[in-house]
């Protein structure tokens, strides 16, 4: 081989132009993800390095990460490579402020702090905000080389952030090697369906380009015959062609040359090395990369001088990258050398590497990366380190990585005294990445758990995971059995389990209806956590089983008053907020919901925050504040991962879809509800709510029969479960309207009469007014409709709908003056609460009745939506756009759009004029 040279970038003009276009789009505020993929040696890394080292480096901050086999082990290893250099500056506290706080767990070595609630999602969200904070300083380019080898938590974050950084100048630039070896499974498959992803596949070099490459690489200019032969044999792959041309045997065996020949070439080079050179190469292949030559020398059994000489020789041959850390110039080189080591030698060197790294004080995950590669040996030291690494990974929001460490610890295996603890930890971690496997692990170990808090934790985790997998009866059985077993020794732990058992049982069956309705909750104590959970469950059951609203609201309010503020963020308490909302205790529901939201934000409890925001949106919806409801629902959308299954996702989407429908935005509602990434389970109250909203969308777009069929199916499920509450999932209201559209008047009257009966049992003016309005519509009784409008003064959206029905009926009967008066009132009411769909229908009806339509205010404070007004208020108080985005959990682009629209409506040009306007 000749001396090492660096070839120019050849035949890449089109690819560079495409990258320049993508960078320009990102810099303009349209976050982009670009994947550069191709076979090994095609020049992906060279292309990306050339691009990021060029003019773009002067206008954007470039952060880089390199992935290798060992980078798959550390939790968020790629993320740490990307962001740690950025946090070394003086802006660290600013970058990690507000919602970005949980990102510090990933980027620092301090593992002493208690992990945040919902650590996996809190960390993802914190890293998203860290990236957003960094992007506010200027365009940001995140380069991940060989992303197919990245650790799973980092890939999870790339997906989470890539779908949320709309409005930020961020370019994600990933490279991936394509080959049969890396095809199944594809960790980057999600990019294929992301509209913000661009795909670049560098082409093979032309014969002329290959000739220029060989001229730069060989000591003498290549002959045209050699260039042509190399191009024919390699197809124009730069790495393979260069290796072939430098191999003395290459030109004689061109017809048989493939990528396998490259491996043979490398093995030929190794055979010609000195013993020290081969030891150096083997040690570096085991370590992957090494910043300390002394460590590599000790692992290889070399003195430092021999180690330096061997490294210099490999660098001269072009096999190593320059400088520290010591690293192969191409991943294929490391793979070939590593495979040359026998299994016993690899095992021995990995154990030695782990010991040396541990003695040097290396990070625990770096030590365990080698222990995971070593064969099991019943070593307690290995188990201890692996369990420690699992604790660290869990705290950093990477339960999947923790599960891998614990699986390896179980294979060691652990000492008998530690076995149950390791099994429990492994099962809990496994539920995150493989719920079915986690369930089996936990079911197997549950009978062996003696510690009551651990039994509680495992039983709750099992019940939630079983429910997410559609195995609700098993979940209920797990909770009930655990409660019975602990009743004598740990009565309050048993009460917590029994309360959860009741809540889940109520959600799925009518078996406890009589017992729940007969229980006097006012006589129950609520001093301990278990007693409070029991009260919450009873209020939840009374609400769904349609006990009187006043009784239900009193129980829910008592449970919330007794709950410490710090505990309100728990998603369990959203059922109490929902009961208050359905009972029309909207001020009280808003009060406790706002407290829960504030607490969840303080503790970064992302799942609790998302669910409480969704319920807060429902409070605003019931109050007729649709713009405010949309703001809360949008914040929930920003928080909850698309893949999240279960009750929370159903409720979040159902509430947001309802808001959009009442705003007259059916197409957006449909797109939103179809974003659910998991199958709908038809035995969960949240799933029925989600299905009812989908059915309403179908009716809105003209598929009335299909929508009615779906609503009746929802009703059948809810009747079977004993869920008679007419407000929780108002399927009857939409089914009656669909039946009337289909001229099924008898069925509509029958269902409306049933709705009236249930509404009177619940007892709120909203429920009774809505049901009487339906019956009046179905029977054509204007007296019933008039009574309905009188009852619905506190329910603006339902009032507007009842007024619209009344005005339409009056117009159909020829009483146009009365119809015009009623329809104007319907229009004013709909406009005031932001119900765009009802307002449009009222305008059409009013025009048809010969009435003139009033216009909405076009300027000034009254013209602002609730969400625009909230943004303006914060801006007027001196909040920066970044702080407003963080406070309201909105994207920067959304804040900017709200402000620019508000400036136009207010007739001003800048935020400096806001204080006088916003008052």
């Amino acid at each position: 081989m000749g001396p090492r040279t660096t070839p120019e970038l050849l035949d890449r003009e089109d690819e560079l132009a495409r990258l320049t276009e993508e960078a320009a789009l990102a810099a303009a505020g349209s976050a982009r993800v670009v994947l550069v993929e191709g076979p090994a040696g095609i020049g992906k890394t060279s292309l990306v390095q050339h691009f990021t080292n060029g003019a773009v480096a002067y206008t954007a901050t470039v952060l880089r990460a390199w992935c290798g086999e060992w980078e798959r082990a550390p939790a968020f290893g790629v993320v740490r490579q990307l962001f740690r250099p950025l946090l070394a500056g003086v802006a660290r506290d600013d970058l990690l402020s507000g919602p970005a706080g949980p990102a510090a767990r990933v980027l620092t070595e301090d593992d002493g702090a208690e992990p945040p609630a919902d650590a996996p999602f809190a960390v993802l969200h914190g890293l998203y905000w860290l990236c957003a904070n960094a992007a506010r300083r200027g365009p940001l380019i995140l380069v991940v080389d060989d992303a197919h080898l990245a650790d799973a938590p980092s890939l999870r974050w790339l997906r989470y952030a890539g779908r949320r950084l709309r409005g930020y100048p961020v370019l994600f630039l990933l490279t991936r090697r394509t080959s049969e070896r890396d095809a199944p499974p594809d960790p980057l498959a999600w990019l294929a369906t992301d509209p913000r992803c661009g795909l670049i596949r560098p082409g093979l070099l032309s014969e002329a380009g290959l000739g220029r490459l060989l001229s730069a690489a060989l000591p003498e200019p290549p002959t045209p015959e050699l260039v042509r032969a190399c191009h024919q044999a390699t197809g124009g792959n730069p790495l393979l062609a260069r290796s072939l041309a430098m191999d003395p045997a290459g030109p004689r065996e061109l017809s048989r040359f493939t990528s396998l020949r490259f491996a043979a070439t490398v093995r030929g080079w190794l055979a010609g090395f000195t013993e020290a050179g081969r030891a150096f190469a083997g040690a570096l292949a085991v370590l992957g990369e090494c910043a300390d030559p002394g460590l590599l020398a000790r692992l290889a059994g070399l003195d430092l001088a021999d180690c330096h000489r061997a490294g210099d020789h490999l660098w001269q041959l072009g096999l190593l990258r320059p400088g520290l850390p010591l690293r192969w110039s191409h991943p294929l080189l490391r793979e070939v050398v590593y495979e040359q080591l026998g299994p016993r030698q690899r095992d021995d060197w990995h154990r030695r590497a782990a010991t040396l790294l541990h003695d040097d004080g290396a990070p625990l995950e770096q030590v365990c990366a080698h222990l995971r590669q070593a064969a099991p040996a019943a070593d307690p030291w290995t188990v201890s380190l692996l369990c420690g690494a699992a604790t660290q990974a869990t705290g950093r929001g990477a339960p999947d990585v923790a599960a891998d460490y614990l699986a390896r610890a179980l294979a060691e295996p652990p000492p008998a005294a530690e076995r149950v603890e390791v099994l429990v930890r492994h099962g809990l971690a496994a539920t995150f990445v493989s719920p079915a496997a986690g369930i089996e692990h936990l079911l197997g170990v549950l009978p062996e758990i003696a510690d009551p808090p651990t039994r509680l934790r495992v039983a709750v985790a099992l019940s939630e995971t079983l429910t997410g997998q559609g195995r609700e009866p098993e979940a209920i059985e797990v909770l009930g059995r655990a409660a019975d077993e602990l009743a004598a020794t740990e009565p309050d732990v048993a009460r917590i389990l029994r309360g959860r058992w009741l809540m889940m049982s109520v959600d799925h069956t009518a078996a406890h209806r009589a017992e729940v309705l007969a229980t006097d909750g006012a006589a129950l104590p609520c001093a301990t956590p278990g007693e409070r959970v029991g009260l919450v469950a009873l209020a939840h059951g009374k609400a769904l089983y349609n006990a009187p609203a006043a009784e239900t609201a009193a129980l829910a309010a008592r449970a919330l008053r007794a709950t410490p503020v710090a505990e309100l963020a728990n998603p369990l308490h959203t059922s109490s907020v929902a009961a208050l909302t359905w009972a029309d205790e909207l001020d009280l529901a808003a009060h406790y919901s706002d407290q829960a939201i504030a607490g969840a934000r303080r503790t970064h409890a992302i799942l609790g925050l998302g669910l409480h925001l969704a319920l807060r949106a429902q409070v605003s919806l019931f109050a007729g504040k649709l713009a405010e409801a949309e703001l809360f629902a949008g914040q929930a959308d920003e928080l909850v991962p698309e893949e999240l299954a279960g009750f929370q996702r159903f409720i979040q989407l159902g509430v947001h879809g309802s808001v959009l429908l009442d705003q007259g935005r059916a197409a957006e509602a449909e797109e939103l509800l179809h974003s659910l990434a998991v199958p709908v389970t038809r035995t969960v109250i949240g799933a029925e709510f989600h299905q009812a909203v989908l059915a309403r969308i179908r009716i809105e777009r003209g598929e009335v029969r299909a929508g009615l069929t779906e609503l009746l199916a929802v009703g059948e499920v809810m009747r079977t479960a004993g869920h008679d509450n007419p407000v929780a999932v108002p399927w009857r209201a939409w089914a009656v309207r669909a039946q009337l559209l289909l001229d099924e008047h008898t069925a509509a009257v029958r269902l409306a009469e049933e709705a009236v009966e249930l509404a009177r049992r619940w007892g709120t003016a909203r429920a009774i007014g809505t049901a009487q309005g339906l019956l009046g519509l179905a029977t054509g009784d204007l007296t019933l409709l008039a009574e309905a409008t009188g009852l619905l003064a506190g329910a603006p959206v339902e009032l507007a709908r009842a007024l619209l029905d009344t005005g339409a009926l009056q117009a159909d009967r020829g009483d146009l003056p009365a119809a015009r008066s009623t329809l104007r009132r319907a229009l004013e009411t709909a406009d005031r609460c932001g119900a765009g769909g009802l307002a449009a229908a009222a305008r059409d009806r009013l025009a048809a009745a010969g009435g003139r339509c009033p216009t909405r205010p076009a300027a000034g404070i009254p013209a602002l939506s609730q969400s625009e007004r909230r943004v303006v208020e914060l801006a007027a108080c001196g909040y920066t756009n970044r702080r407003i985005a963080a406070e309201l959990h909105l994207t920067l682009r959304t804040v900017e759009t709200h402000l620019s629209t508000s400036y136009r409506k207010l007739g001003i040009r800048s935020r400096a004029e806001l204080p006088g306007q916003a008052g």
Side-chain angles (χ1 to χ4, degrees):
M1 289 179 60
R4 181 184 174 197
T5 60
T6 303
E8 62 176 316
L9 197 66
L10 303 166
D11 291 350
R12 294 291 180 255
E13 292 80 9
D14 291 345
E15 290 87 346
L16 287 171
R18 175 75 183 283
L19 286 172
T20 301
E21 291 174 3
E22 295 283 1
L25 286 172
S30 178
R32 299 289 297 168
V33 181
V34 176
L35 180 64
V36 180
E37 68 174 15
I42 199 66
K44 304 178 294 294
T45 300
S46 298
L47 171 64
V48 170
Q49 285 183 339
H50 183 90
F51 172 71
T52 54
N53 289 340
V56 70
Y58 296 101
T59 60
T61 299
V62 181
L63 304 176
R64 303 177 190 273
W66 175 84
C67 306
E69 288 292 343
W70 308 141
E71 279 66 32
R72 286 182 170 178
F76 292 104
V78 167
V79 167
R80 294 212 294 274
Q81 285 189 64
L82 288 171
F83 287 109
R84 273 184 172 169
L86 198 64
L87 295 180
V90 295
R92 173 191 176 90
D93 292 342
D94 190 38
L95 290 170
L96 289 172
S97 63
R105 298 196 63 83
V106 168
L107 298 165
T108 67
E109 299 300 335
D110 180 14
D111 299 307
E114 186 71 17
D118 310 322
F121 304 108
V123 168
L124 287 180
H125 198 65
L127 289 167
Y128 151 69
W129 274 103
L130 167 65
C131 189
N133 288 343
R136 291 189 184 105
R137 299 168 170 269
L140 195 64
I141 299 178
L142 306 178
V143 178
V144 182
D145 202 15
D146 284 332
H148 57 285
L149 297 177
D151 63 280
S154 291
L155 287 174
R156 194 158 59 245
W157 174 75
L158 284 170
R159 181 174 186 176
Y160 184 91
R163 291 183 171 181
R164 284 168 171 75
L165 283 166
R166 301 178 295 273
Y168 291 90
V170 179
L171 174 63
F172 295 92
L173 189 47
L174 318 179
T175 73
R176 171 174 66 173
R177 184 200 308 176
T178 56
S179 71
E180 293 181 1
R181 177 177 181 178
D182 295 316
D186 182 3
L188 300 174
W190 61 273
L191 290 171
T193 58
D194 193 312
R196 288 178 299 279
C197 177
L199 181 62
I200 296 177
R201 293 189 174 99
L204 296 164
L205 294 183
S206 65
E207 188 172 316
L210 190 63
R212 294 199 302 275
L213 181 146
L214 295 178
S215 295
L218 296 174
E220 297 179 0
T223 65
E225 291 75 19
L226 177 60
V227 172
R228 188 176 305 111
C230 283
H231 192 269
Q232 290 175 349
T234 67
N237 183 295
L239 177 67
L240 300 184
R242 186 168 177 264
S243 302
L244 173 62
M246 292 179 178
D247 182 1
R252 295 193 299 273
E253 301 184 27
L254 286 174
S255 61
R256 297 193 298 110
F257 189 81
T258 65
S259 58
L260 295 177
R261 176 63 184 157
F262 172 76
T265 299
V266 174
R267 288 193 289 270
W269 293 341
L270 288 173
F273 289 174
T274 63
E275 185 176 346
R278 289 193 294 274
F280 178 99
L284 185 57
V286 167
L287 292 173
E289 67 172 59
C290 184
D292 177 13
L295 170 66
L296 192 144
R298 283 179 285 153
L299 180 61
L302 302 173
D303 61 43
L304 199 55
D306 283 343
C307 184
H308 282 304
R309 280 192 291 271
D312 288 342
H313 179 58
L314 266 67
W315 180 83
Q316 287 292 332
L317 293 175
L319 303 181
L320 300 185
R321 297 185 184 187
L324 293 176
L326 296 168
R327 183 185 296 168
W328 297 98
S329 59
H330 195 280
L332 276 178
L333 293 167
R334 191 209 67 81
E335 293 172 18
V336 171
V337 175
Y338 186 76
E339 289 171 1
Q340 279 292 100
L341 304 173
R344 182 172 298 179
Q345 187 177 19
R346 286 198 294 265
D347 180 69
D348 179 55
W349 279 23
H350 278 301
R351 286 195 176 277
R352 286 167 53 196
T355 302
L356 291 170
L357 287 164
H358 182 266
D359 292 346
D360 287 349
L364 188 56
E365 57 196 2
Q366 193 176 346
V367 176
C368 289
H370 293 282
L371 290 177
R372 289 175 61 188
Q373 299 299 318
D379 179 13
W381 179 76
T382 296
V383 173
S384 174
L385 292 183
L386 289 166
C387 289
T391 299
Q392 187 181 76
T394 300
R396 288 177 173 170
D400 44 350
V401 174
D404 287 343
Y405 286 131
L406 292 164
R408 176 61 185 81
L410 287 169
E412 188 65 14
E418 301 172 22
R419 174 181 160 275
V420 170
E421 180 186 355
V422 178
L423 282 169
V424 167
R425 294 181 61 193
H426 177 249
L428 291 170
T431 59
F432 180 81
V433 65
S434 178
I439 287 169
E440 298 313 310
H441 285 301
L442 293 177
L443 285 174
V445 75
L446 186 58
E448 301 182 53
I449 302 172
D451 178 55
T454 303
R455 286 183 72 85
L456 171 63
R457 185 182 177 200
V458 169
V460 170
L462 252 177
S463 67
E464 292 175 346
T465 309
L466 283 163
T467 300
Q469 295 293 296
R471 298 164 63 178
E472 292 84 3
E474 293 173 78
I476 294 169
E477 181 185 353
V478 164
L479 289 170
R481 185 169 63 248
D484 291 342
E485 291 169 351
L486 291 171
T489 56
E490 296 288 336
D492 206 55
V493 172
R495 289 188 198 104
I496 293 173
L497 290 165
R498 183 61 63 184
R500 286 181 171 272
W501 168 86
L502 178 60
M503 184 171 289
M504 188 169 288
S505 298
V506 164
D507 277 349
H508 299 93
T509 175
H512 308 287
R513 179 188 175 91
E515 176 189 353
V516 166
L517 293 177
T519 301
D520 180 10
L524 296 177
C526 59
T528 68
E531 290 168 351
R532 288 194 290 273
V533 171
L535 203 61
V536 168
L538 183 62
H540 178 69
K542 285 183 178 291
L544 289 181
Y545 289 154
N546 205 32
E551 177 188 356
T552 301
L555 284 177
R558 183 165 171 246
L560 288 167
R561 281 196 303 271
T563 301
V565 174
E567 294 179 15
L568 283 176
N570 190 313
L572 194 71
H573 297 295
T574 57
S575 62
S576 296
V577 171
L580 289 175
T581 303
W582 301 339
D584 272 345
E585 295 289 347
L586 301 184
D587 290 342
L588 202 56
H591 169 73
Y592 284 112
S593 186
D594 289 342
Q595 282 194 336
I597 288 168
R601 280 181 172 151
R602 281 194 302 271
T603 59
H604 303 287
I606 294 300
L607 296 186
L609 177 56
L611 188 52
H612 277 290
L613 283 167
L615 267 294
R616 184 64 177 85
Q618 189 172 57
V619 174
S620 297
L621 176 61
F622 272 51
K625 301 175 181 178
L626 267 66
E628 182 178 88
E630 185 192 359
L631 178 63
F632 285 121
Q635 292 175 40
D637 283 350
E638 288 292 325
L639 292 167
V640 181
E642 292 85 346
E643 299 80 10
L644 185 67
F647 175 82
Q648 173 161 357
R649 189 74 169 139
F650 293 134
I651 291 296
Q652 173 216 344
L653 293 177
V655 170
H656 199 173
S658 298
V659 173
L660 292 172
L661 280 169
D662 282 343
Q663 289 177 322
R665 299 158 63 184
E668 294 174 61
E670 181 176 16
E671 181 180 359
L672 175 73
L673 265 71
H674 282 299
S675 69
L676 190 66
V678 296
V680 172
T681 303
R682 296 303 304 263
T683 54
V684 181
I685 178 66
E688 297 312 315
F689 181 38
H690 177 270
Q691 286 298 101
V693 178
L694 274 173
R696 183 181 164 193
I697 290 170
R698 300 187 78 167
I699 294 169
E700 289 277 343
R701 71 183 186 189
E703 298 178 22
V704 181
R705 175 62 64 189
L708 175 60
T709 300
E710 187 58 44
L711 284 171
L712 295 177
V714 168
E716 186 61 31
V717 172
M718 297 195 71
R719 281 195 177 103
T720 301
H723 297 165
D724 287 338
N725 189 294
V727 182
V729 181
W731 64 272
R732 291 177 182 84
W734 301 108
V736 167
R737 293 180 181 278
Q739 287 168 335
L740 292 175
L741 287 172
L742 295 168
D743 292 328
E744 298 177 0
H745 292 277
T746 302
V749 170
R750 187 165 56 248
L751 195 56
E753 288 173 341
E754 181 182 313
V756 170
E757 179 186 350
L758 295 173
R760 286 175 177 158
R761 191 187 307 164
W762 180 240
T764 64
R766 177 192 305 272
I768 297 170
T770 299
Q772 286 198 178
L774 286 172
L775 185 57
L777 180 65
T779 60
D781 190 334
L782 284 169
T783 302
L784 279 175
L785 280 165
E787 291 176 2
T789 57
L791 288 166
L792 292 171
V797 176
E798 286 76 8
L799 174 59
R801 189 171 284 114
L803 287 168
L804 179 59
D805 292 337
T806 303
L809 188 55
Q810 288 169 334
D812 290 344
R813 293 184 177 179
D815 190 355
L816 296 182
R820 287 193 288 266
S821 176
T822 304
L823 291 169
R824 282 194 190 93
R825 189 179 166 201
L827 176 56
E828 290 166 0
T829 304
D831 266 340
R832 190 163 52 248
C833 62
L838 290 173
R843 282 192 179 89
D844 291 343
R845 282 285 190 173
L846 183 55
R852 297 179 60 184
C853 297
T855 58
R856 288 189 65 192
I861 292 293
L864 298 181
S865 70
Q866 290 289 337
S867 53
E868 289 166 349
R869 187 175 298 193
R870 182 62 178 140
V871 170
V872 163
E873 287 171 352
L874 293 177
C877 291
Y879 282 47
T880 63
N881 288 5
R882 180 189 67 188
R883 189 176 175 190
I884 295 171
E887 178 73 16
L888 301 181
H889 284 268
L890 301 173
T891 64
L892 183 62
R893 172 64 64 85
T894 301
V895 172
E896 292 169 346
T897 300
H898 279 332
L899 283 175
S900 62
T901 303
S902 300
Y903 295 162
R904 176 175 50 79
K905 290 181 179 180
L906 296 172
I908 62 177
R909 296 184 177 182
S910 71
R911 70 196 307 130
E913 301 175 65
L914 280 177
Q917 294 278 346

